[in-house]
Amino acid sequence: MAGKRFTVRGRSIRWREGRYRQRGRRRLQARPLKPRPVLDTLVAIGVSLFAGGLVFCMALLLLGAHKVPLHFGYGAILGGVIGCSFVFGPRDRPGLMVVGGLVVVWVLGTAVLYASRDQIVLRPHEHRSAAAKSAPRKAD
């Protein structure tokens, strides 16, 4: 004899009777989050300042390596970051607050760097080859 048709071995471990009937009845609804404007504002300010600092470091690297003006590199890179965060980021309130903070840092940072562009001067390092070090110097 082959035995009963519905034995434990014949069923999947996850199978339960009546599972498919009750599938649509009970759905877990996510509760909406409570608005936290102070925390959202502090996070937006912190993220904006941190991103502005990182972009400033990248702009310094562009200035040193390729002689791109600091205000132009800063404005272009941070403008791209703002565009990408607006397109690909969340459209909820905290996400838009971060984008707004980035716009403020972008405008103020670019304006300050443009206004102080004459005072920003990188002097080249005085690296010399070994042959130049051993050669006698000419008196001025």
Side-chain angles (χ1 to χ4, degrees):
M1 291 271 169
K4 295 182 181 178
R5 185 175 178 188
F6 294 109
T7 61
V8 175
R9 279 183 266 151
R11 290 186 281 199
S12 172
I13 294 174
R14 297 181 344 196
W15 185 85
R16 291 195 179 104
E17 291 184 26
R19 178 176 176 204
Y20 296 105
R21 275 184 274 153
Q22 296 176 358
R23 178 181 268 183
R25 288 184 187 174
R26 238 211 269 171
R27 291 188 179 171
L28 296 176
Q29 300 259 342
R31 287 186 283 163
L33 297 174
K34 296 177 184 177
R36 303 173 298 194
V38 175
L39 183 63
D40 292 342
T41 304
L42 290 176
V43 168
I45 290 170
V47 167
S48 301
L49 291 176
F50 183 73
L54 284 178
V55 169
F56 181 74
C57 292
M58 287 187 220
L60 278 175
L61 290 174
L62 277 176
L63 175 67
H66 301 289
K67 305 295 185 229
V68 175
L70 195 58
H71 57 84
F72 183 73
Y74 181 82
I77 295 172
L78 196 55
V81 168
I82 291 170
C84 288
S85 63
F86 186 74
V87 170
F88 299 116
R91 298 285 173 99
D92 57 349
R93 183 178 175 182
L96 293 177
M97 288 176 73
V98 168
V99 171
L102 283 173
V103 169
V104 169
V105 168
W106 180 44
V107 170
L108 292 178
T110 305
V112 167
L113 290 173
Y114 182 77
S116 64
R117 68 188 182 280
D118 296 334
Q119 287 84 23
I120 300 171
V121 177
L122 289 182
R123 292 185 172 75
H125 297 288
E126 296 295 329
H127 295 294
R128 297 185 181 141
S129 65
K133 287 181 183 177
S134 63
R137 292 188 179 182
K138 296 180 182 178
D140 290 328

